[in-house]
Amino acid sequence: QVVMGEVQQQIVEIPTIQVVEQFQDVPEVQVVEKNVEVVQVVQETVEQIVEQHVHVPKIIPQRRVQHRSVEQIIDVPVPVVKEEIVHVPRVVNQHRHHHVEVEQIVD
């Protein structure tokens, strides 16, 4: 049987426990030992024996005649006739008149 009536609705808050989990990655310190091979280039001088055909020239002695022409300049004094006008003083005889003033007193 269904009875007609009032419907009531009640909301009841029920506290619940809420769990929050947080995860954090913590780096762990690890010590790692590595052995690494490093190629090192070293220069070394190495002696090598090399065969080589060498032609050695023959030495033939020869006489040589050398001619040298030499130009020689010599200053030689040469007498030169040189004309020159010379003024010669002439001796001229002149008569000289000599005047002497004489004071005369007449009384």
Side-chain angles (χ1 to χ4, degrees), residues 5-106:
E6 229 179 86
V7 178
Q8 282 184 354
Q9 189 178 5
Q10 284 186 351
I11 299 175
V12 178
E13 291 185 9
I14 302 173
T16 58
I17 297 174
Q18 191 178 24
V19 177
V20 176
E21 288 184 6
Q22 286 185 351
F23 293 100
Q24 188 176 12
D25 288 339
V26 177
E28 186 178 326
V29 177
Q30 292 181 354
V31 176
V32 178
E33 286 188 17
K34 285 185 176 180
N35 288 330
V36 179
E37 288 187 20
V38 178
V39 178
Q40 188 177 12
V41 177
V42 178
Q43 291 186 356
E44 289 183 6
T45 57
V46 180
E47 244 184 58
Q48 287 185 345
I49 297 176
V50 179
E51 285 189 15
Q52 203 175 21
H53 293 291
V54 179
H55 296 290
V56 179
K58 274 184 163 182
I59 298 176
I60 301 172
Q62 291 180 347
R63 291 190 66 196
R64 288 187 179 184
V65 177
Q66 287 185 349
H67 295 288
R68 287 189 192 172
S69 54
V70 178
E71 183 179 339
Q72 202 171 24
I73 298 173
I74 302 173
D75 285 341
V76 178
V78 179
V80 178
V81 175
K82 195 171 166 186
E83 288 189 13
E84 188 177 352
I85 297 174
V86 179
H87 295 289
V88 179
R90 259 181 30 197
V91 176
V92 177
N93 287 327
Q94 292 180 353
H95 295 299
R96 290 193 174 190
H97 298 293
H98 188 69
H99 297 284
V100 180
E101 287 187 20
V102 178
E103 190 180 322
Q104 288 181 357
I105 300 175
V106 179

